Amino acid sequence: MSNKIHLSEEQIASFHKNGYIGPITIYSPEEMAEIWNAVRRQLPDRSNAAYPSDSYGAATNISNYDRHLDINKLSQHVTNPKIVAPVSDILGDDVLCWRTEFFPKYPGDEGTDWHQADTFANASGKPQILWPGETEDQFGKGTLTVWTAFTDSTIENGCLEIMPGTHHKMNYDENKSMQYQSDIINNIEKEGKSRGFFGYDYRDLQIDPDWHPDEKQAVPLEMKAGQCVIFWSTLMHASYPNISDKMYRMGFATRYAPSFVDIYPNTDHVHEYGGNIPLDKFGCVIVAGQSRNANNRIATHNLLGNPFAPLSL
């Protein structure tokens, strides 16, 4: 495997210090446009999707989960060596992808709240990923997110923003509860920006109710279509509102972890964002090495019958 797609020692050191690396170019803008044009034509067809269309409401982000399980080009994306190689440099030889999500932001959409996620119990109330020895009360590492810009991502149309180095301390308690309120979407301003969290207010999870994120630490992550950023989910991250009048922004997040972690422990349904999804067709995808946890559901093929091909490092 070419060293050009692996991280250098300096890049790995920078990642561990800052909690993120990027932008990294995965596709040319022309390649990304071709992929996205093909994928978006297939998105309305949920005949082979892992989750039935009646399991969520119209306002919930849960409908965007795990389309890599039934759309071939997304299956290929999660196993792309240009992504898997740097992810494996960070996580080790045995790596799985356990979730993908589309993050659209249309003109007029609010920005996303500052947040951190470790167990991903923040909306469902139940841990979805646990590292060995981690409990609901003990801080772990979370997941490694690869956020790829499927369209140009700018400050004007709602790009990501992060706070470097904030992945070492959790400012939020995912055991606390948030109330889903569809009527607050696009209706709350925080620190001068329209912000929300898909019908929740992430401030409800603050360990210190009087604490405020230090906006002076924020770094915008503008990206060209086909570029990605890799970051720990425990890194403080958010996004700008889309204040453009015609440019939508589409991001696609792929979430990775070492294959020895527990994914959806003792869980058959996920209830969050005003909907729920059954996990009977769900499976983690081994993208490098092999599975090291017999408790995890593993998908060797996508729901169209095409095999996932782990990277040989």
Side-chain angles (χ1 to χ4, degrees), residues 42-153:
Q42 297 175 56
L43 286 174
D45 179 7
R46 299 190 64 91
S47 57
N48 292 293
Y51 313 124
S53 59
D54 60 357
S55 62
Y56 51 84
T60 178
N61 197 52
I62 207 169
S63 63
N64 290 316
Y65 283 5
D66 297 339
R67 297 306 303 273
H68 68 288
L69 293 176
D70 75 295
I71 295 178
N72 285 326
K73 285 193 178 295
L74 297 180
S75 300
Q76 295 162 6
H77 175 73
V78 303
T79 57
N80 187 320
K82 290 184 179 181
I83 293 175
V84 176
V87 164
S88 298
D89 291 335
I90 296 166
L91 295 178
D93 292 342
D94 302 304
V95 180
L96 57 76
C97 173
W98 67 280
R99 177 180 288 172
T100 62
E101 298 169 63
F102 278 103
F103 286 107
K105 200 167 292 294
Y106 299 101
D109 280 356
E110 66 188 2
T112 304
D113 282 345
W114 286 108
H115 63 286
Q116 297 167 293
D118 171 24
T119 66
F120 285 75
N122 44 32
S124 66
K126 186 174 184 180
Q128 299 177 17
I129 174 173
L130 290 174
W131 288 60
E134 183 179 7
T135 67
E136 297 184 37
D137 304 313
Q138 184 178 357
F139 174 44
K141 292 185 177 181
T143 193
L144 202 62
T145 296
V146 179
W147 198 101
T148 302
F150 274 31
T151 64
D152 287 349
S153 181

Side-chain angles (χ1 to χ4, degrees), residues 114 161-164 191 193 212-220:
W114 286 108
E161 49 183 334
I162 53 94
M163 295 185 183
E191 307 298 331
K193 294 178 183 176
H212 295 277
D214 184 0
E215 296 275 353
K216 295 190 297 294
Q217 295 184 54
V219 175

Side-chain angles (χ1 to χ4, degrees), residues 38-291:
V39 167
R40 65 181 176 180
R41 287 196 298 268
Q42 297 175 56
L43 286 174
D45 179 7
R46 299 190 64 91
S47 57
N48 292 293
Y51 313 124
S53 59
D54 60 357
S55 62
Y56 51 84
T60 178
N61 197 52
I62 207 169
S63 63
N64 290 316
Y65 283 5
D66 297 339
R67 297 306 303 273
H68 68 288
L69 293 176
D70 75 295
I71 295 178
N72 285 326
K73 285 193 178 295
L74 297 180
S75 300
Q76 295 162 6
H77 175 73
V78 303
T79 57
N80 187 320
K82 290 184 179 181
I83 293 175
V84 176
V87 164
S88 298
D89 291 335
I90 296 166
L91 295 178
D93 292 342
D94 302 304
V95 180
L96 57 76
C97 173
W98 67 280
R99 177 180 288 172
T100 62
E101 298 169 63
F102 278 103
F103 286 107
K105 200 167 292 294
Y106 299 101
D109 280 356
E110 66 188 2
T112 304
D113 282 345
W114 286 108
H115 63 286
Q116 297 167 293
D118 171 24
T119 66
F120 285 75
N122 44 32
S124 66
K126 186 174 184 180
Q128 299 177 17
I129 174 173
L130 290 174
W131 288 60
E134 183 179 7
T135 67
E136 297 184 37
D137 304 313
Q138 184 178 357
F139 174 44
K141 292 185 177 181
T143 193
L144 202 62
T145 296
V146 179
W147 198 101
T148 302
F150 274 31
T151 64
D152 287 349
S153 181
T154 67
I155 290 176
E156 185 182 12
N157 74 0
C159 73
L160 287 172
E161 49 183 334
I162 53 94
M163 295 185 183
T166 53
H167 57 301
H168 298 296
K169 177 185 176 183
M170 287 293 286
N171 297 293
Y172 304 93
D173 179 358
E174 291 174 293
N175 293 323
K176 298 174 74 173
S177 63
M178 299 186 291
Q179 181 181 358
Y180 178 74
Q181 305 169 74
S182 60
D183 60 332
I184 69 172
I185 297 174
N186 289 324
N187 282 323
I188 298 181
E189 188 170 289
K190 302 167 186 175
E191 307 298 331
K193 294 178 183 176
S194 172
R195 289 199 197 272
F197 197 76
F198 312 105
Y200 295 94
D201 187 336
Y202 213 87
R203 295 176 299 183
D204 291 343
L205 300 187
Q206 288 182 196
I207 295 172
D208 177 1
D210 298 323
W211 171 81
H212 295 277
D214 184 0
E215 296 275 353
K216 295 190 297 294
Q217 295 184 54
V219 175
L221 293 176
E222 293 190 293
M223 286 182 276
K224 293 293 186 181
Q227 292 186 314
C228 78
V229 63
I230 303 172
F231 62 94
W232 282 120
S233 60
T234 49
L235 185 75
M236 288 281 293
H237 57 289
S239 70
Y240 288 85
N242 187 334
I243 60 171
S244 70
D245 57 0
K246 59 183 178 181
M247 291 191 305
Y248 77 94
R249 183 219 76 185
M250 183 60 73
F252 187 64
T254 51
R255 304 193 186 277
Y256 299 92
S259 66
F260 54 73
V261 303
D262 286 318
I263 303 298
Y264 292 126
N266 304 310
T267 302
D268 294 321
H269 283 73
V270 175
H271 300 266
E272 61 185 15
Y273 302 122
N276 76 88
I277 50 175
L279 298 179
D280 53 301
K281 294 183 179 180
F282 167 81
C284 302
V285 177
I286 301 299
V287 299
Q290 57 188 301
S291 175

